[in-house]
Amino acid sequence: MSKIRVAIVTPGTFAIPSEKSSSVELAVMQTAKQMAGEAELTVFGKKTVRQPSRETRGGIRFIRPPRRNYIRNISRILKKLKPDIIQVENRPRFARFLKKRFPDTHVALSLHSTTFISKPKITPQALASCLQHADSIIVNSHFLKTHIANAVPETESKIVVNHLGADPERFIPKWEADQSKRLAKLRKLGLEGKKIILYVGRLIPIKGVHHLLRAMPAIAAIEPNAVLLIIGSAFYGSKRKTPYVKRLRRMAAPIKRHVRFIPYVGHASIPSWFQLADAVVVPSPEREAFGLVNVEAMATGLPVVAAGAGGITEIIEHGQSGLLANPERLEEEIVAYVTHVLNDSEFARKLGEQAVRRVRDHFTWKKTAERLLEHYRNMEKAGDREADRPEEQQAT
C-alpha cells in the first residue's frame, strides 16, 4: 500500500524546525517525526538565511518559499506535488485560499487556539466562509471544538478532536533522573534548599502570570523557602519588555527574594528546568485551548496547579493527576494548592505518579500522530468511495 502524501502548511511566521518557534511549529515537528515512517510528508515553512530553501531531514521534506506572497508560492509548488492531504496550520484564510485552488484535494485546517478565529484577526463572516471551505477541522481539545461549533454551527460535524502530547523520552519523571545534575544546577543558581515553583510560557495577559504573582506573597508567608521561577518572554526568543512584562516586574519587586525571572529558554532546555521544580503553575483563567506545558510537566512527574478552564480540564483530573483552581477564586486556590504540594511530599509524589501514567496513556506525540493518520486514511477511503459512485448518484 502506497504511503499517504501529506503537505503541511505552517503559518510562515517562525522557522521550522527551530528552537525559537511557537507551539504550532513544535506540534507540527513532533507529530511529523512520528508520522514520517507511515506517510510521505512535506512541511512548508518560513525562509531563513540559515536554512536552505529545500532539504530533507529525518524522512521529512522541508520547503521554504520566499515570505513575500508566501501562500501563493506554496500553491504553485503544491500543483506539482499533488498531495492527498493539505494540512493548514492555524490560518483559516490559507485553508480557504488553497481549497479554492485544489477543490479535489482534502484540505484540513488544524487549529491550536482561539486567537486566529476571533476578532481582531478575523470577522465572524470571514471565519464562517473559511471554515466552510475546509474539508475537516482538527482541534486540540473539546473546548476548542465547542467554541468553533458555537461560532459556526454548520461546521460541527467536520470538527475532529486530537489532543497533543509530550515526548516521554525527553520529559522523564524526576525520580528517574540524575539527581546530581539537579543539585548541581540548584547550587549554581543559588537555589539549594529552596522549594521551586515554576511558570513556563509567554508573558502575556491571557496566560495569567499576574494572578500567580498576586498569590506569591501569601505562598511565601506560609512557605518561606518558596521561590517562583518565571521562565519566558513576551515574544518567542525576544527579551523585549512590553508594558505587561514591566508590570510583572513591578509586582515582583516587593517579594524579590521569592521571584526570579529567567529569560526565554529554548524548548530543548525545558526538561532540565522541570527537573528543578517542586510544582508547576499554569494560571491561564480563560481561552487556553490546551497548554503543552501541562502535559510536559505531568510527564516529568510534577504536581501541576492549573486554572480549571478551557482545554486544561481535559488534561488534568482534579485531585488525581493535578489540581484545578476555580477561575473565580484563582489566586486564593493557587495559594492553597501550591502550599499543599510543597508541604506534603507524599501527596505531591502521588499526584506526580498518576500524572505520568495519564500522559503515557493519553498524551504522547505517538498517540497524536496515530489519531491524525487514522483520520486522514479514513478521509482518503471516503474520497475513494465517492469517486467510485456512479455520476448519477453523485449528482443526487
Side-chain angles (χ1 to χ4, degrees):
M1 184 174 66
S2 60
K3 292 183 179 180
I4 189 169
R5 294 166 297 165
V6 181
I8 304 174
V9 179
T10 68
T13 308
F14 297 95
I16 184 170
S18 171
E19 266 295 286
K20 294 184 178 181
S21 66
S22 76
S23 57
V24 173
E25 289 78 17
L26 171 63
V28 168
M29 280 306 306
Q30 294 296 333
T31 308
K33 286 177 183 177
Q34 297 293 331
M35 292 170 58
E38 303 293 327
E40 185 180 308
L41 299 173
T42 302
V43 175
F44 290 91
K46 177 183 179 180
K47 178 70 181 76
T48 67
V49 174
R50 296 182 178 182
Q51 292 176 315
S53 297
R54 294 181 181 237
E55 66 172 329
T56 299
R57 294 193 200 182
I60 305 166
R61 176 168 48 189
F62 294 90
I63 300 179
R64 306 180 180 98
R67 186 69 183 91
R68 188 177 181 182
N69 297 321
Y70 178 70
I71 195 63
R72 292 182 183 276
N73 289 327
I74 289 174
S75 178
R76 285 193 286 271
I77 298 168
L78 287 172
K79 283 184 179 178
K80 296 179 181 178
L81 288 181
K82 295 181 172 60
D84 302 306
I85 305 285
I86 300 173
Q87 177 180 315
V88 176
E89 297 294 323
N90 227 32
R91 293 297 185 272
R93 288 190 177 89
F94 285 6
R96 179 175 62 182
F97 179 91
L98 292 173
K99 185 60 185 178
K100 287 181 177 180
R101 281 152 183 78
F102 302 95
D104 297 326
T105 302
H106 185 98
V107 175
L109 173 61
S110 175
L111 292 172
H112 297 252
S113 69
T114 61
T115 301
F116 287 90
I117 56 173
S118 306
K119 290 182 177 180
K121 297 293 185 181
I122 196 167
T123 65
Q125 296 79 10
L127 176 65
S129 173
C130 292
L131 297 185
Q132 286 163 8
H133 275 82
D135 294 295
S136 63
I137 302 165
I138 301 164
V139 297
N140 55 24
S141 65
H142 292 281
F143 162 77
L144 192 50
K145 176 178 179 176
T146 300
H147 180 91
I148 295 168
N150 288 339
V152 189
E154 56 270 34
T155 64
E156 184 172 11
S157 63
K158 58 183 177 182
I159 304 174
V160 178
V161 176
N162 188 15
H163 289 131
L164 305 181
D167 182 352
E169 293 184 6
R170 292 184 58 237
F171 294 91
I172 61 174
K174 284 181 61 176
W175 49 87
E176 294 179 8
D178 185 340
Q179 294 303 307
S180 62
K181 288 184 179 180
R182 177 179 185 271
L183 292 172
K185 188 166 184 175
L186 286 171
R187 200 174 297 120
K188 182 179 179 181
L189 293 167
L191 295 173
E192 196 172 12
K194 301 297 183 180
K195 294 188 177 181
I196 308 300
I197 305 160
L198 211 61
Y199 167 84
V200 179
R202 291 183 64 192
L203 305 186
I204 54 178
I206 63 170
K207 296 294 184 179
V209 193
H210 53 286
H211 294 296
L212 176 53
L213 278 172
R214 285 195 192 118
M216 272 308 295
I219 292 172
I222 298 169
E223 179 44 73
N225 284 324
V227 176
L228 168 63
L229 303 185
I230 298 177
I231 300 179
S233 58
F235 306 98
Y236 295 102
S238 169
K239 296 181 181 179
R240 182 154 60 94
K241 292 182 175 63
T242 62
Y244 180 68
V245 172
K246 293 176 182 177
R247 174 190 167 195
L248 296 179
R249 288 184 173 271
R250 287 195 301 270
M251 292 177 69
I255 50 168
K256 60 183 179 181
R257 288 178 52 250
H258 299 280
V259 180
R260 188 178 298 187
F261 288 87
I262 308 294
Y264 175 85
V265 171
H267 191 258
S269 301
I270 293 297
S272 65
W273 286 95
F274 278 148
Q275 291 295 330
L276 302 184
D278 296 289
V280 169
V281 181
V282 184
S284 311
E286 59 181 347
R287 296 205 311 163
E288 187 73 75
F290 188 80
L292 282 172
V293 66
N294 293 284
V295 292
E296 291 174 345
M298 289 165 66
T300 313
L302 289 168
V304 178
V305 177
I312 296 174
T313 60
E314 300 168 35
I315 303 169
I316 296 171
E317 303 162 300
H318 179 65
Q320 297 181 52
S321 53
L323 296 167
L324 296 173
N326 186 331
E328 295 181 2
R329 300 191 302 275
L330 185 59
E331 292 159 22
E332 174 189 345
E333 293 199 355
I334 285 176
V335 173
Y337 293 155
V338 168
T339 54
H340 187 182
V341 297
L342 291 184
N343 288 292
D344 189 338
S345 59
E346 186 176 335
F347 178 61
R349 176 65 179 254
K350 181 181 177 182
L351 287 178
E353 289 174 345
Q354 292 180 146
V356 169
R357 284 195 292 270
R358 181 153 174 79
V359 168
R360 290 177 176 174
D361 288 344
H362 301 285
F363 301 109
T364 66
W365 290 118
K366 182 179 180 181
K367 292 183 183 299
T368 302
E370 287 172 349
R371 290 189 294 262
L372 187 59
L373 272 172
E374 182 181 10
H375 169 64
Y376 285 153
R377 285 170 179 151
N378 289 339
M379 293 301 98
E380 191 177 34
K381 290 175 184 176
D384 290 342
R385 287 195 298 270
E386 183 67 19
D388 290 340
R389 288 173 59 198
E391 290 186 13
E392 294 83 358
Q393 291 185 28
Q394 293 183 36
T396 60

